[in-house]
Amino acid sequence: MASRVGITKALEVLHYLTPIAVLMYFTAAKTVAACFLHQPAKRANTAIRRRTGLLALLAIVSTLFAQGITYLTEGAGDSTRWASQDSAVYVLISIFAYLSLFVGLLETKKPIWHPHLGTWLIGFALEVPCTVLQALVAPGRNDYEALQLALHVVRTSLLLVLCITGSSFALTDRQRNLERTDETEPLLANGSNGHAVEPADGTQYGAANGNGKAIDKDDDDDEDDEDFDSDSEEPEHDKELKKQQRKRLEDSGSWLAYLKDFKVFIPMLWPSRNRFVQACLVIVALVLVATRFLNVLVPRQLGRITDELTKTAGSGVLPWHAVGLWMLYSWLNSAAGLSLAKSLAELPVQQFAYKSIGTTAFGHIMGLSMDFHNEKNSGELIRAVDQGQHLQGLLEFMCFEVGPMFLDLVIAFVYVYTLFDIYMSLILVIVGLLYIWIGAKTTTWSVKQRRRFNTAWRNESKVQNEAINNWQTVSHFNRGAHERARYGKTIDEFNTAEWQYYLAYYVGGSAQSVVMLCGRIAATTLAVYRIAQGRAPVGNFVALTAYWRNIESPLAQVSWSIRRVSQMLTDSERLLQLMLTKPTVTDALNATELAVKAGEVTFEQVNFSYDPRKSTLKDVSFTAKPGQTVALVGETGGGKSTILKLLYRYYDVKGGSICIDGQDIRNVTLDSLRDSFGMVPQDPSLFNVSLMDNIKYARLDATDDEVMEACRAAAIHDKIESFPDKYKSTVGERGVKLSGGELQRVSIARAILRQPKIVLLDEATSMIDAETEALIQKAFKRLTADRTTFVVAHRLSTIQHADLILVIGDGQIIEHGTHDELFRQNGKYVALWSKQLSKDVKDVGSSLQVAEEDQMLVKVDADKPQKPQPREED
C-alpha cells in the first residue's frame, strides 16, 4: 500500500513537472538563441524536416486532446472517477506547450532546430517515467485506463521518433559542414603570401551556394525591412539606422555584448552625487512596492466586506472596520494618494537625467576634433541628442512600468490561486499568453499597412505643399486641373492605406477583447461553480471581479511595451554611436600647461595628410622668431590654412613636431594652447545675440569700454554706433545681418579684445575695401606689436612688410624670405605678384599703379611692357 502511495505521489509530481519543464526549456533555449544571435542552418527550411516535426507535434497534441476527452467521459459516467487535479493540469499545460511548439514551427520558415530538439529530448525523458508510473497506477483494468495508457505509449513513441530524426538531421548537417570545409579549403589562400586578397573597392565576395549563386550578406534586408515602421519625418534615415543597429548587433555577437556599450550612459543616469534625486528614487521604489500590495488589498478588502455583510445581513450591524480599511486602501491607490507622491518624486529624477544626458552629449560633441565637425550634419547631431533623451525614458519605462507590469502578472497568478485553485491560475495564464500572442501577431500584420499609411500621409502633404508653393509655375502652364487630379489621387491612396491599417488595428484589438472576454467568462463561471460547491466564500467572487481590471491592464500593455522598448533602443542608438565616437586630438596623459614667454614657434620637418593616400604637407620646417610676422602665401589648396590648423592643434601632425618656446604642442593641454591664440578666420561666424555679447565672447570678463576701444581699433565702432540699437543690435544667425566687411571687422575686434600671445590671421581682410583696410592695418600693428603673428593672405599687398614670407606650393615651402629678398630671387613669389597685378589691370585698366621699386621686376603684359604705378587694393 505504501509503495502504491509513493508511486501515485511520484506520478503527481511528474504530471506537474513534465509540461512545465518542456515549456521552460523551450523558452530558455529560444531566449539564449535570440540573445546570442544564433542563425538557422542552411538546410533548416528543408520540407521533410518541417513536415516531420509538424506531423509529429500535431499527433502529440491529438493524443493529449484524446486523453482529456477520456477524462471527461469517464467523469461524466461516474462522478467518483473525475480526473485528479494533477492529471487535468498535466493534460491542459501539455496541450498548450506542444500546441505552442507546433504553431511556432509552422510560422517559422527557417527554424533554429536545437531548441526544438532539446525540448523533444526533455519531453521524451520525462514521458517515459510518466508512462511507466501510469501503467503501475492504472494497469488497464478497464477501457478508460487501457486507452489512457495506450495514449501515453503513443505520445512517448512520437517523442522518440522526433528525438531520433532530429538527432539524425543534426549529425548529417555536422558531417556535411565538415565535408564542405575540407572540400572547399584551398591549398593556398587567394594571395601568394598566404593571405586572402580583398577586392580593391573594399567589398567582400559572396560564397557560392548550391545553385552557383553568390550569397549576399544583405539578402534578407528586404525581409527585415518588412518589420520596419517609422512615424518620423525621415523614414529612410530611420531605416538606415535600423540597419546600422542590426550590423552592430551582429558584430557584437550577442544582445548582452551589444547592450554593454550602453554602460556609457550609466554615469549620466545614476545620481551618484545628488542625494535629493536618490531620495526621490527611493520614494518611487517604495510607492511601486506599496502599489503592488494595494492592487491586491483593495479587491481583497471588498471581498471581506461582502463576506461580513453576508453574515450580518438584516441584523443592523455595519462592518465599519472593513469598510474603513477599504476606503483607506482605495484612497492610497487612487490618483490623489500614492500616485501623486510617485509623480512628484519622478519629476526631479526625469529632470536630472534630462540635464545629465543633454549636457554630457553636448560637451562630448564640442570636444570632438575638427575631422568630425568637418563631416558632421548639424541637424542629425541635434536629432541624436534630442532622441537620445529617450534613453532616460527607457530606464524609467523598464524600471517603473515594464518591471511592475510583469510583477503584476505573477502576483495575479498567485492571488487568483489563493482565491480559488490552480484551474483559475491556468485560465489566467492561457488567457494572458493568447492575448500577448494575438497582440504580437497583430502588430506584425499591421506594420506593413502602417508603413504604407505613413508613406501615403507624407506623399499627400508633399504634393499639396509643392503645388501651393509653386503656384506661379502651375499658373504659367495652366496645370490647375492636373494638380487637383494629382492631389485627389494621393488622397485616394491615403484613404486606402488608412482603411487597411485600421482594419488590421481594429480586428486585432477585437480579437484580443474576445480572448479577454472568454477568459473573464471562464473565470467567472469557475468562481460561481466553486462557490456553489461551497469551496469558496462569496467574497472571493467579488474580489475576483474587482481584481480582474488589474489583470487586464498589464496584459494590454505587454505588446505595446515590447515595441516601445525596441523603439527607444533604436532612438538611443543615435546618441550611443555619437558617444562612442572618440576625438582624434586629445590631451596627453601627462600634459602640462603651455607657458608662452617669448612666443617662438618652430615647425620641424612636419608631415601631414587628411587622406593617407595623398600628402598635404611634406617636410615643412621653419622658425618664427618672437615678435615676428610670418606670412603664408601661395595658390589655393597648397596647405597654408592647414599650417594654422596644425598650430591650433585641430589635427595632430603625422610626422615631425611643432614647438612653442621649446614645448611640443602635443605635450601641453589643449585649453592652455588655444588660450594663447587670437584667431581671425577667413569665414567668421557670430552668434545670434547682440554685438556686445559677440565681441565679449573673446574675453568674457571684458568691460563695455574695452569692447568699444577694440571696435575703434578695428574701424567698426562708428558703423555700430550708426545702427538703431547700437551695440545691442542682434546680428542674425551666423551674423547674416552684417555685410561681409562688417562681419570681418567684428571678428578683428574680437581678436584685438582677446589680447593674445600669438596672432593668427587667415585672410583677415579679404572682404574689406582699400580705405578700411588702411585703417585696419594700423590696428593690426597695435595688435601684432611684440606678438608672433601668422598671416595667410592672397592679397599680397597686405603682407609686404612681413618679417618672413613663406611661399607654399603642393604642401612644401618653395621659397622663404622677406618681400625684397623674394623679389630678388625672381621665382614663384614674383610670379604670384605678376598674376595678381595682371588680373587687377584687367579690372581697372590704365589707372593701375605700382611702386617704383617694383617697376623693373613686374611685367604686366609679356607682349607689351608697361610701367604700372602703385595703387590702393580694391
Side-chain angles (χ1 to χ4, degrees):
M1 182 69 180
S3 61
R4 183 176 178 83
V5 171
I7 293 172
T8 302
K9 288 291 184 184
L11 183 59
E12 288 180 7
V13 171
L14 281 174
H15 276 164
Y16 288 115
L17 176 63
T18 300
I20 293 175
V22 167
L23 271 178
M24 290 184 64
Y25 177 83
F26 184 71
T27 303
K30 291 288 284 185
T31 302
V32 169
C35 288
F36 290 94
L37 309 178
H38 293 173
Q39 298 297 321
K42 291 183 179 180
R43 295 174 56 83
N45 62 338
T46 303
I48 187 173
R49 298 189 181 190
R50 294 186 73 242
R51 284 202 200 106
T52 302
L54 289 171
L55 289 174
L57 287 172
L58 188 60
I60 290 172
V61 172
S62 300
T63 64
L64 290 165
F65 271 111
Q67 189 166 346
I69 292 171
T70 61
Y71 287 151
L72 292 174
T73 306
E74 185 179 10
D78 184 357
S79 60
T80 62
R81 296 187 61 81
W82 280 107
S84 62
Q85 178 176 291
D86 61 281
S87 297
V89 169
Y90 163 76
V91 169
L92 290 173
I93 300 181
S94 294
I95 288 174
F96 181 80
Y98 287 106
L99 195 58
S100 299
L101 289 173
F102 174 81
V103 173
L105 190 58
L106 183 66
E107 290 183 339
T108 308
K109 293 181 180 179
K110 293 184 178 181
I112 299 173
W113 283 104
H114 70 79
H116 294 273
L117 178 58
T119 304
W120 298 335
L121 290 169
I122 294 289
F124 174 73
L126 293 173
E127 281 291 345
V128 169
C130 274
T131 304
V132 173
L133 293 177
Q134 180 70 26
L136 295 175
V137 171
R141 290 169 298 191
N142 57 48
D143 292 342
Y144 290 112
E145 289 182 352
L147 180 58
Q148 290 166 12
L149 183 58
L151 291 171
H152 267 287
V153 172
V154 171
R155 187 160 54 252
T156 305
S157 301
L158 289 169
L159 285 169
L160 178 61
V161 170
L162 283 174
C163 292
I164 293 173
T165 56
S167 301
S168 173
F169 290 145
L171 290 173
T172 302
D173 285 345
R174 181 176 178 81
Q175 184 64 31
R176 285 180 176 172
N177 287 337
L178 291 174
E179 291 175 357
R180 186 179 295 111
T181 301
D182 293 338
E183 292 172 1
T184 57
E185 186 70 28
L187 294 176
L188 290 176
N190 294 337
S192 59
N193 58 356
H195 298 286
V197 177
E198 190 172 316
D201 60 358
T203 58
Q204 295 181 349
Y205 296 122
N209 63 13
N211 298 326
K213 295 180 181 179
I215 299 174
D216 190 353
K217 183 179 179 180
D218 296 329
D219 280 347
D220 295 330
D221 280 353
D222 294 338
E223 181 179 341
D224 293 336
D225 288 344
E226 292 297 314
D227 295 332
F228 173 77
D229 185 25
S230 174
D231 294 328
S232 76
E233 298 293 331
E234 302 177 43
E236 292 302 323
H237 189 280
D238 288 352
K239 186 184 295 185
E240 183 63 29
L241 184 67
K242 274 281 191 182
K243 289 182 179 179
Q244 292 175 8
Q245 183 187 35
R246 186 165 62 244
K247 183 180 183 303
R248 202 167 66 80
L249 181 59
E250 291 171 354
D251 293 341
S252 299
S254 71
W255 272 100
L256 298 177
Y258 169 79
L259 293 175
K260 279 183 180 178
D261 286 337
F262 283 85
K263 66 184 179 182
V264 299
F265 295 114
I266 293 177
M268 306 181 207
L269 298 172
W270 176 246
S272 57
R273 299 180 181 178
N274 194 318
R275 300 300 181 191
F276 174 70
V277 176
Q278 290 177 8
C280 290
L281 280 172
V282 171
I283 292 172
V284 171
L286 291 175
V287 170
L288 287 174
V289 173
T291 304
R292 307 285 72 78
F293 283 102
L294 289 171
N295 287 340
V296 173
L297 288 174
V298 172
R300 176 175 174 271
Q301 195 63 26
L302 196 60
R304 289 191 171 184
I305 293 173
T306 303
D307 288 337
E308 292 192 26
L309 287 174
T310 302
K311 294 176 183 178
T312 61
S315 65
V317 178
L318 298 176
W320 287 116
H321 178 71
V323 172
L325 283 177
W326 174 77
M327 293 171 65
L328 175 64
Y329 295 155
S330 298
W331 168 68
L332 290 174
N333 204 34
S334 69
L338 294 180
S339 294
L340 177 61
K342 176 174 173 284
S343 299
L344 294 176
E346 279 181 342
L347 189 58
V349 177
Q350 294 169 353
Q351 291 178 335
F352 169 83
Y354 182 85
K355 178 182 178 181
S356 181
I357 292 175
T359 54
T360 304
F362 178 78
H364 181 76
I365 291 171
M366 299 306 291
L368 290 174
S369 305
M370 179 172 273
D371 53 353
F372 171 84
H373 286 278
N374 284 344
E375 302 293 333
K376 72 184 177 185
N377 181 323
S378 298
E380 172 59 23
L381 284 181
I382 294 171
R383 181 185 177 90
V385 176
D386 180 54
Q387 292 198 325
Q389 300 293 345
H390 288 162
L391 191 68
Q392 160 213 337
L394 175 64
L395 184 66
E396 294 178 11
F397 190 70
M398 293 294 293
C399 296
F400 301 158
E401 295 188 41
V402 176
M405 177 185 67
F406 282 104
L407 184 59
D408 283 339
L409 292 176
V410 175
I411 292 173
F413 177 84
V414 175
Y415 182 56
V416 297
Y417 172 75
T418 61
L419 286 177
F420 294 97
D421 51 31
I422 190 65
Y423 294 109
M424 189 69 76
S425 295
L426 284 177
I427 290 173
L428 178 61
V429 170
I430 292 171
V431 167
L433 292 175
L434 277 176
Y435 189 96
I436 294 170
W437 180 77
I438 291 175
K441 302 310 294 182
T442 301
T443 300
T444 303
W445 181 31
S446 64
V447 160
K448 189 173 183 180
Q449 281 73 24
R450 176 69 179 182
R451 187 168 62 251
R452 288 176 178 171
F453 171 65
N454 288 336
T455 301
W457 195 355
R458 283 188 292 267
N459 192 41
E460 179 202 346
S461 177
K462 176 185 174 184
V463 171
Q464 183 186 59
N465 289 336
E466 283 182 345
I468 293 174
N469 292 334
N470 292 282
W471 175 85
Q472 284 189 337
T473 303
V474 174
S475 298
H476 289 162
F477 293 95
N478 194 27
R479 288 292 180 262
H482 169 74
E483 292 299 329
R484 284 193 297 272
R486 194 159 73 103
Y487 181 60
K489 184 179 179 181
T490 63
I491 292 180
D492 290 338
E493 291 172 353
F494 169 77
N495 287 338
T496 301
E498 183 182 34
W499 186 86
Q500 291 175 344
Y501 167 66
Y502 280 108
L503 174 65
Y505 180 81
Y506 289 132
V507 168
S510 298
Q512 287 181 304
S513 297
V514 168
V515 169
M516 189 60 68
L517 178 61
C518 291
R520 188 165 194 161
I521 290 172
T524 303
T525 303
L526 180 61
V528 170
Y529 178 71
R530 292 295 187 231
I531 292 170
Q533 285 184 317
R535 296 172 62 178
V538 178
N540 284 15
F541 176 80
V542 176
L544 176 67
T545 304
Y547 186 67
W548 194 263
R549 178 179 58 84
N550 294 333
I551 298 172
E552 289 182 342
S553 179
L555 285 176
Q557 295 181 38
V558 170
S559 299
W560 176 80
S561 298
I562 294 172
R563 191 173 180 191
R564 179 68 175 149
V565 168
S566 176
Q567 185 61 47
M568 285 180 170
L569 276 175
T570 302
D571 288 339
S572 301
E573 179 76 14
R574 282 188 172 91
L575 183 59
L576 178 62
Q577 290 178 3
L578 176 63
M579 296 303 295
L580 293 178
T581 303
K582 301 300 181 184
T584 54
V585 177
T586 57
D587 286 338
L589 291 177
N590 299 317
T592 58
E593 297 289 318
L594 175 65
V596 181
K597 299 177 180 177
E600 181 178 87
V601 179
T602 303
F603 276 61
E604 184 69 31
Q605 295 181 332
V606 169
N607 293 285
F608 176 75
S609 61
Y610 295 104
D611 188 321
R613 295 172 296 181
K614 184 179 183 299
S615 179
T616 304
L617 294 180
K618 293 169 284 188
D619 197 25
V620 173
S621 299
F622 67 89
T623 299
K625 299 295 183 181
Q628 276 191 341
T629 296
V630 177
L632 307 173
V633 301
E635 295 177 348
T636 302
K640 303 183 297 298
S641 295
T642 299
I643 290 175
L644 295 192
K645 291 175 182 176
L646 292 177
L647 182 57
Y648 225 92
R649 211 177 162 216
Y650 283 137
Y651 301 92
D652 274 333
V653 298
K654 305 298 183 184
S657 64
I658 302 173
C659 297
I660 298 177
D661 286 341
Q663 304 160 82
D664 193 318
I665 62 174
R666 290 171 294 187
N667 298 327
V668 300
T669 62
L670 282 170
D671 286 343
S672 64
L673 173 68
R674 293 172 182 173
D675 272 341
S676 303
F677 298 128
M679 180 73 164
V680 180
Q682 182 177 0
D683 184 21
S685 176
L686 303 180
F687 294 100
N688 189 17
V689 293
S690 69
L691 279 164
M692 180 64 72
D693 291 334
N694 267 296
I695 299 170
K696 277 188 178 181
Y697 198 75
R699 186 157 58 87
L700 299 177
D701 60 349
T703 64
D704 292 354
D705 290 338
E706 289 175 322
V707 170
M708 294 179 186
E709 185 59 33
C711 289
R712 288 189 183 94
I716 189 65
H717 174 75
D718 293 339
K719 187 68 175 179
I720 294 175
E721 286 293 322
S722 70
F723 296 158
D725 295 321
K726 298 180 173 33
Y727 280 89
K728 294 182 180 180
S729 302
T730 55
V731 298
E733 190 171 348
R734 296 182 62 85
V736 295
K737 292 183 180 180
L738 301 179
S739 68
E742 291 167 348
L743 188 62
Q744 211 152 34
R745 279 181 281 169
V746 169
S747 180
I748 294 168
R750 287 198 299 194
I752 294 172
L753 182 66
R754 188 170 175 80
Q755 299 176 355
K757 298 171 183 177
I758 298 173
V759 179
L760 309 177
L761 307 175
D762 188 359
E763 291 290 341
T765 59
S766 61
M767 293 184 286
I768 295 176
D769 59 84
E771 182 179 354
T772 305
E773 181 183 333
L775 296 173
I776 292 177
Q777 290 296 343
K778 296 178 181 179
F780 277 158
K781 288 181 181 179
R782 291 195 292 270
L783 172 64
T784 61
D786 300 324
R787 292 186 176 96
T788 307
T789 304
F790 289 83
V791 182
V792 173
H794 283 102
R795 294 171 64 174
L796 302 180
S797 63
T798 62
I799 50 89
Q800 294 181 63
H801 302 293
D803 300 298
L804 175 64
I805 299 174
L806 303 177
V807 183
I808 312 295
D810 293 329
Q812 295 178 303
I813 299 178
I814 301 173
E815 297 171 3
H816 62 88
T818 64
H819 175 79
D820 293 337
E821 289 171 349
L822 291 173
F823 255 88
R824 282 194 290 272
Q825 293 177 23
N826 196 22
K828 181 66 174 177
Y829 183 70
V830 172
L832 291 173
W833 266 93
S834 178
K835 288 180 181 179
Q836 191 168 103
L837 292 174
S838 178
K839 177 181 180 297
D840 289 342
V841 167
K842 294 177 182 178
D843 292 339
V844 299
S846 61
S847 63
L848 177 66
Q849 296 179 349
V850 294
E852 186 174 331
E853 58 266 29
D854 297 336
Q855 291 177 5
M856 302 302 296
L857 297 172
V858 181
K859 293 186 178 181
V860 178
D861 190 326
D863 297 330
K864 185 178 180 180
Q866 300 181 23
K867 295 182 180 180
Q869 298 298 317
R871 72 168 183 91
E872 291 289 350
E873 287 290 325
D874 198 309

